[in-house]
Amino acid sequence: MGLCVVIGTMDNTILTVALAEIQRQLGATNSQLQWAMDAYTVVFGALLFTAGLLGDRYGRKRILMIGMTIFGVSSLLAAFASSPAELILGRAVMGIGVAVVPGGTLAIILNVFPAEERAKAIGRWSVAGGLALALGPLLAGALLHWFWWGSVLLINVPICLVVVPLIAFLVPENRSPDRKALDWVGLTLSTLGMGLLIYGIIQGGETGDWGSPQVLGSVLGGVAVLVALLFAEKRVANPGLDPALLRNSLFLTGSIALAVAMLAVMGGSYLLTFYNQQVRGFSAFQAGLLMVPVAIGTMTAANSSAKLAARLGPARVIASGLGLITLSLLYFSTLDESSPLVPFVLAQAVFGFGMGLVMAAAPAMCMSVVPPEKAGAGSAVPNMMRQVGGAVGVALLGAVLAAGYRSHISSSLDGLSAPLRDEAVTSIGATTEVLHEARAAGGGDAGAARRLTDPGTASGLSHTVTGAFVSAQRTAMWTAAGIGALGTVAALVWLPGPVRRPAAEAPKPKKNVSQSA
């Protein structure tokens, strides 16, 4: 189950490292590169609930094996894509296959492990997600050093060839004993609602135009469809999603805690990716190495979260995790181009430790109230919240970063024509690229570009660009830390404390043998 989670989570980030090579070798436009990333994420998020229902109905082992097979085959085809369109299609099919992983693996764990071992098993399952965060960029950097861009997708194939037989021989089949008809209303509304919502959030983050009809219509339409899903599930004869679960405080608050944590974690990690490579100048492989402390912290926390939750209660464990994430983000807000690496590495480990506490304790708390026969559909809700939280984190903090950078760098690009200046202020990479292209192309902007990139002024411009990014990153990190702090307080207020076990009964006095006789 952990291997399934590793390759499913890893593919959320691994392709980002190869985008420059894909653009060079396939001639992909920026829009096509965005779709190569988004097709996977949108399809994956849209089908989470559907995959859970299919597992409950037809067997979680069977659906997981089918999904991993689809994922492996589509990874092979996408790795050898000869055009951007083929790559986008392959990534979308990969999203179909991997949609079965979060809910399917968690449902199998819920049904295989006894109640007293369940929290520990979920903690070990959560380790895989933290490991994948570091493994993705690290593995991608190493593969691109030796092979072509398709190798970052081809690596999924041998893993699937190992995982599918292991599932076949080691995992017992389990399904809901109630073989009722599929909830087609729930399937349709959940797929449409999640697809629209995640697509709108991603598009808003990429374009920065949250008021456009495309973005606003997608987000509001997705929310409206998901609200309709809640009302519809109360009225259908065989609801896939039990409405009683959403009224359960443990299930609801645990799902919200996951969303808040993923918002802060994915948003913060997204910002640090740009900081490591564009401010510090590290290669993709070196940036991946800097994520190893995050993985170590996550694995350490996830392995101990079950005992901590039993002793302290889920509220204190989840609040502690969110608090550590918040403190790490506050430290990250102080980073600049000359920050020492040792404190940064230690802060990364603390960041990962906080993430591990939340990612292990919150799913265990949610699943503690889900009936085993509804494990697939029940696990889909926290996984959907986690997916939405991650998408919102990247989009929101990316928008804050872009707005801050634009406001700080605009005045330094005077002399460029309006279209070029508008393109140059979008990111730190775009600034450098636009100036060098304008200088090489000649024309009316060549003089201004030559002046800005002249050796006498280049160091000043470089310092200005870096300073603008660092200032924008500080604001974005403060935003993430503020959300984390609110989540910490909410966890302490709304989540339950430690479980009070009844005192053991006093042992009864033994009877005298002669009296018994």
Side-chain angles (χ1 to χ4, degrees):
M1 298 301 98
L3 282 173
C4 294
V5 173
V6 164
I7 59 174
T9 305
M10 190 170 64
D11 254 70
N12 270 320
T13 58
I14 195 169
L15 196 68
T16 58
V17 182
L19 289 180
E21 283 298 307
I22 293 172
Q23 188 170 40
R24 185 176 64 84
Q25 296 187 29
L26 294 186
T29 64
N30 288 336
S31 176
Q32 289 170 330
L33 290 176
Q34 289 173 0
W35 270 109
M37 296 293 299
D38 298 347
Y40 178 88
T41 306
V42 172
V43 174
F44 172 45
L47 294 177
L48 281 172
F49 185 71
T50 299
L53 281 182
L54 292 176
D56 288 343
R57 177 67 173 78
Y58 297 108
R60 291 135 192 159
K61 172 183 177 178
R62 176 186 301 173
I63 295 299
L64 185 59
M65 290 179 64
I66 293 172
M68 294 306 296
T69 302
I70 292 173
F71 182 73
V73 172
S74 56
S75 296
L76 177 64
L77 296 176
F80 291 98
S82 58
S83 68
E86 291 179 8
L87 176 61
I88 293 168
L89 178 61
R91 290 284 291 171
V93 179
M94 287 172 66
I96 295 174
V98 83
V100 307
V101 170
T105 53
L106 197 53
I108 288 172
I109 288 173
L110 183 65
N111 280 273
V112 168
F113 288 88
E116 62 272 14
E117 294 291 331
R118 214 167 276 155
K120 185 188 298 184
I122 292 175
R124 302 291 170 86
W125 171 84
S126 302
V127 167
L131 181 63
L133 280 178
L135 192 60
L138 186 64
L139 187 59
L143 288 171
L144 289 175
H145 181 74
W146 296 104
F147 305 105
W148 92 115
W149 68 265
S151 61
V152 302
L153 300 177
L154 193 63
I155 192 64
N156 295 328
V157 177
I159 300 177
C160 288
L161 289 174
V162 172
V163 167
V164 173
L166 285 177
I167 296 172
F169 288 107
L170 296 179
V171 178
E173 183 59 281
N174 58 85
R175 60 169 62 88
S176 174
D178 189 2
R179 304 292 297 277
K180 295 180 181 179
L182 278 176
D183 175 17
W184 289 104
V185 174
L187 288 177
T188 304
L189 292 179
S190 65
T191 302
L192 179 61
M194 282 295 293
L196 284 172
L197 180 60
I198 293 176
Y199 170 77
I201 291 170
I202 291 174
Q203 286 296 102
E206 289 175 350
T207 63
D209 187 4
W210 290 92
S212 69
Q214 182 184 18
V215 172
L216 198 59
S218 297
V219 171
L220 295 180
V223 171
V225 172
L226 291 177
V227 170
L229 169 67
L230 299 180
F231 283 100
E233 292 297 270
K234 295 179 181 179
R235 291 166 173 78
V236 297
N238 304 309
L241 175 62
D242 185 359
L245 281 177
L246 298 179
R247 295 193 295 268
N248 186 291
S249 60
L250 287 176
F251 186 82
L252 184 59
T253 52
S255 299
I256 294 173
L258 272 175
V260 172
M262 283 302 292
L263 189 156
V265 166
M266 293 303 294
S269 300
Y270 174 77
L271 297 176
L272 289 177
T273 299
F274 288 103
Y275 169 77
N276 286 330
Q277 296 190 42
Q278 297 188 346
V279 174
R280 300 302 296 262
F282 295 128
S283 66
F285 183 73
Q286 291 170 327
L289 283 176
L290 286 174
M291 291 296 291
V292 171
V294 177
I296 294 173
T298 302
M299 290 187 287
T300 304
N303 279 328
S304 58
S305 66
K307 292 181 180 178
L308 291 173
R311 184 181 307 167
L312 304 175
R316 293 176 183 173
V317 174
I318 293 174
S320 297
L322 290 171
L324 290 175
I325 291 171
T326 301
L327 291 176
S328 302
L329 292 168
L330 287 174
Y331 171 77
F332 295 151
S333 70
T334 67
L335 296 174
D336 56 30
E337 65 272 23
S338 59
S339 296
L341 279 182
V342 172
F344 177 58
V345 169
L346 293 175
Q348 291 268 70
V350 173
F351 188 61
F353 194 87
M355 181 174 67
L357 289 178
V358 181
M359 296 306 167
M365 186 176 71
C366 292
M367 299 308 291
S368 67
V369 299
V370 176
E373 63 273 12
K374 292 283 189 180
S379 64
V381 175
N383 282 314
M384 287 162 65
M385 293 291 286
R386 176 159 51 183
Q387 187 74 4
V388 171
V392 170
V394 172
L396 173 64
L397 299 188
V400 173
L401 179 72
Y405 181 76
R406 186 181 298 110
S407 66
H408 284 92
I409 198 66
S410 293
S411 60
S412 301
L413 300 176
D414 291 338
L416 292 178
S417 62
L420 275 186
R421 187 169 61 249
D422 291 342
E423 184 180 351
V425 300
T426 55
S427 69
I428 185 173
T431 302
T432 305
E433 183 179 352
V434 166
L435 289 176
H436 283 91
E437 287 183 355
R439 177 169 179 165
D445 291 302
R450 192 175 296 111
R451 174 178 55 82
L452 291 170
T453 56
D454 189 75
T457 59
S459 59
L461 177 66
S462 175
H463 181 74
T464 301
V465 168
T466 302
F469 180 88
V470 168
S471 298
Q473 178 182 258
R474 183 180 302 117
T475 304
M477 288 292 185
W478 283 344
T479 304
I483 295 171
L486 290 175
T488 304
V489 175
L492 289 173
V493 172
W494 286 326
L495 292 181
V499 177
R500 302 298 181 187
R501 301 182 183 276
E505 295 181 0
K508 296 180 179 180
K510 295 181 179 179
K511 289 184 178 181
N512 184 286
V513 175
S514 61
Q515 289 175 344
S516 301

